[in-house]
Amino acid sequence: MKYKGIIFDLDGVICSTDHYHYLAWKALADRLGVYFDETINNRLRGVSRMASLEIVLERSDKAYGPEEKAAFAEEKNNCYRELLKNMSPADLSPEVKATLDTLRQRGLLLGIGSSSKNTKFILSQIGLGDYFDKISDGTNITRSKPDPEVFLKGAEYLGLAPKDCLVVEDAKAGIEAAAAAGMDSAAIGDAAGCGLATYDLARFSDLLACVD
Ligand code: B16
Ligand code: MG
């Protein structure tokens, strides 16, 4: 085996919450009279909540202080969490679940490395509440991807050296974070083709060929 563990990004890798993020940011932007569309939403992938807010407010004529910004982020998150209640185990693709099960059967440790502070809620919504061996997420980091902190903590929680971990990511910032952590990476979706990953995946199950 090339690796002892795999650290998965959550949003865009295990499941898709993009549309819910979009709807919640759009509701805030509309209330503030700020233009927002799907193209701007794509720039928020893998970016922390406060950094996402800064991107949303780029189109605003008004400057806001830290307290107003904290309130906006909370407003967006409350709306987002309401929308996440619509998620269910049907939002976990059979291909993703079967691939995870196979990786586990092969003896690999499986962890999460996500920027999201809603990781545990999302995992429980899609029926994976107790599935992963360890979770490193937005609640235990101080620096966002492309900083390697979330993956280094993930490896530490799994009890593994960085060189024994493979990261799976859909955001370029996440692939950069894996490289900065000294870990190989597999890019899927948006990040595939960025030229920085160890492997590019056309589909999730292609991961099985990367670990042999
Ligand atoms: P939250 P990931 C990221 O998750 C999302 O891709 C990004 O769009 C979001 O802003 C960020 O989590 C923070 O999420 O507001 O739930 O704390 O891709 O790193 O799993
Ligand atoms: Mg992601």
Side-chain angles (χ1 to χ4, degrees):
M1 276 292 196
K2 279 191 220 160
Y3 308 102
K4 293 181 180 167
I6 307 190
I7 303 177
F8 296 89
D9 174 56
L10 178 62
D11 294 334
V13 171
I14 300 296
C15 62
S16 179
T17 51
D18 264 15
H19 190 58
Y20 296 132
H21 276 296
Y22 169 75
L23 292 174
W25 283 123
K26 177 77 176 148
L28 176 71
D30 284 353
R31 188 179 74 69
L32 298 176
V34 176
Y35 179 78
F36 185 73
D37 63 15
E38 296 269 8
T39 307
I40 300 171
N41 191 60
N42 287 339
R43 290 173 55 205
L44 311 183
R45 205 166 282 141
V47 174
S48 74
R49 196 180 306 163
M50 292 312 287
S52 297
L53 177 65
E54 294 297 340
I55 293 171
V56 172
L57 293 178
E58 277 174 8
R59 301 273 189 133
S60 171
D61 308 329
K62 277 184 76 178
Y64 295 99
E67 280 173 21
E68 285 167 307
K69 286 181 183 175
F72 294 159
E74 190 185 341
E75 178 180 333
K76 180 265 172 179
N77 193 51
N78 289 339
C79 176
Y80 177 58
R81 284 181 69 94
E82 275 306 308
L83 293 165
L84 288 178
K85 289 180 183 166
N86 293 313
M87 290 190 91
S88 74
D91 289 292
L92 175 65
S93 93
E95 179 188 353
V96 169
K97 182 60 167 58
T99 304
L100 291 172
D101 288 345
T102 303
L103 292 167
R104 173 157 285 156
Q105 280 159 16
R106 290 189 190 176
L108 286 148
L109 290 175
L110 306 180
I112 290 285
S114 168
S115 305
S116 177
K117 293 183 174 167
N118 294 300
T119 295
K120 288 185 180 154
F121 183 45
I122 295 167
L123 287 174
S124 78
Q125 288 297 108
I126 62 173
L128 293 182
D130 296 320
Y131 189 87
F132 290 93
D133 295 299
K134 296 288 172 192
I135 292 170
S136 172
D137 66 14
T139 64
N140 62 258
I141 56 169
T142 54
R143 298 179 300 279
S144 288
K145 302 167 189 175
D147 189 283
E149 186 181 14
V150 72
F151 295 134
L152 290 173
K153 281 267 163 57
E156 184 189 320
Y157 294 164
L158 289 170
L160 299 177
K163 67 171 177 47
D164 292 324
C165 298
L166 174 69
V167 164
V168 187
E169 257 291 349
D170 73 314
K172 186 171 168 239
I175 297 294
E176 290 168 346
M183 298 176 189
D184 281 0
S185 60
I188 194 163
D190 245 29
C194 75
L196 302 172
T198 317
Y199 315 98
D200 281 335
L201 309 180
R203 49 187 305 145
F204 194 85
S205 54
D206 290 348
L207 196 49
L208 297 174
C210 305
V211 300
D212 285 331

